[in-house]
Amino acid sequence: MPLPLPARSCKLIKEMRPADIAAAVAADPRLILPVGTCEQHGPHLPLGCDTIIVEQLADDLSAEFGVLRAPTLEFGVNTATARRYAGNASLRRKTLHRALNDLIDSWEASGIREFILLTAHEHDGHIDALATVVTSGARVRVVDLFDVDLTDLLEDQSDPIHGGEVDTSLMLYLAPDLVRLDLALDYTMATRDQQRYRKGWLKIPELSPGSVGRPSLASPEKGHALYQRIHSQVRERVLLASADS
């Protein structure tokens, strides 16, 4: 059975009034901005897989630390595929970069002094768009959830995290009703191809189900352990560290 998620009450700015936001900024001038994607992760997972994972973490951290949480930017730079998948929608790297610059410029003018960009999409073009954001003086921290070392929690040590053991386990824990594990198909790549794929040099092959990895190894219990590891590491290395600096 899926393990229950803790109750949360985050500071989501789209649900707050200007005076309340100003008071929150005066108390803690940080803003968490989740950046998702809209792309296939195999026939068994929804297109918003990355977004759902990163939103959960953003909500939990906002609730615990009282840090403001921005509305999610639901589109990112997708991994290239050799064939089309219904519903996929991608931004160019420059488009995502410019959108982030515009948004962050507006929020910085209202008093935000540190931006925590959370994403769960280990793709070089996507991360580069986040990492090159320019501010007038505010700090920008880019946090890819999958930079956290998860290898000791996995059976497939080569999982490239695109609809495989990691994504599927996290979704079985966070949103089990959206997972069709009976449709999951394993698809593996050679190590060299995995490296090229991560850098955007290799499209997801046409014969792939749209995912890469072994979702057959996934479980909600494993998803709980993975989420706890990610939450703990980001909490300590980002939220607590920036609060002390």
Side-chain angles (χ1 to χ4, degrees):
M1 293 292 293
L3 299 167
L5 290 167
R8 64 179 190 263
S9 180
C10 68
K11 288 186 176 294
L12 184 57
I13 63 174
K14 73 178 182 182
E15 299 175 353
M16 299 171 66
R17 296 169 305 189
D20 297 326
I21 294 172
V25 171
D28 190 330
R30 295 182 290 176
L31 179 68
I32 298 172
L33 172 57
V35 183
T37 65
C38 183
E39 66 173 344
Q40 91 298 328
H41 284 75
H44 62 297
L45 291 177
L47 267 64
C49 171
D50 292 341
T51 308
I52 292 166
I53 294 168
V54 79
E55 282 185 318
Q56 178 68 52
L57 184 64
D59 288 352
D60 288 345
L61 294 173
S62 171
E64 178 181 359
F65 289 93
V67 176
L68 289 171
R69 201 275 246 188
T72 305
L73 185 54
E74 300 232 14
F75 301 94
V77 182
N78 290 1
T79 305
T81 60
R83 61 185 171 100
R84 295 184 182 275
Y85 293 88
N88 273 19
S90 179
L91 297 177
R92 295 180 177 86
R93 185 195 64 78
K94 289 183 178 180
T95 305
L96 177 59
H97 174 72
R98 288 170 180 168
L100 287 167
N101 272 337
D102 287 349
L103 293 170
I104 284 176
D105 183 62
S106 299
W107 284 318
E108 187 177 11
S110 68
I112 300 298
R113 294 295 172 260
E114 180 172 328
F115 296 90
I116 300 170
L117 309 185
L118 294 182
T119 195
H121 184 47
E122 197 174 33
H123 177 57
D124 281 8
H126 180 84
I127 297 299
D128 183 62
L130 276 61
T132 53
V133 166
V134 177
T135 67
S136 297
R139 182 180 188 182
V140 178
R141 297 172 69 101
V142 178
V143 183
D144 184 350
L145 275 53
F146 297 138
D147 279 343
V148 175
D149 186 3
L150 305 171
T151 52
D152 61 306
L153 302 175
L154 303 176
E155 294 176 68
D156 183 2
Q157 297 296 306
S158 64
D159 191 294
I161 316 178
H162 191 85
E165 182 183 6
V166 173
D167 281 337
T168 306
S169 292
L170 285 167
M171 287 296 293
L172 284 170
Y173 171 55
L174 298 175
D177 292 346
L178 299 180
V179 181
R180 284 287 306 273
L181 201 55
D182 59 306
L183 299 179
L185 297 170
D186 290 353
Y187 183 87
T188 58
M189 283 182 173
T191 302
R192 181 181 178 183
D193 286 342
Q194 287 181 27
Q195 294 169 348
R196 295 171 63 205
Y197 154 76
R198 286 177 186 270
K199 291 182 178 295
W201 299 344
L202 178 69
K203 295 180 179 180
I204 293 181
E206 187 170 358
L207 295 178
S208 162
S211 56
V212 180
R214 299 177 64 189
S216 63
L217 299 175
S219 72
E221 294 76 19
K222 191 176 294 180
H224 177 252
L226 292 167
Y227 184 76
Q228 290 299 108
R229 172 72 60 80
I230 291 168
H231 178 274
S232 174
Q233 293 289 322
V234 176
R235 178 184 183 275
E236 293 176 12
R237 297 180 182 180
V238 180
L239 272 297
L240 284 175
S242 63
D244 294 337
S245 61

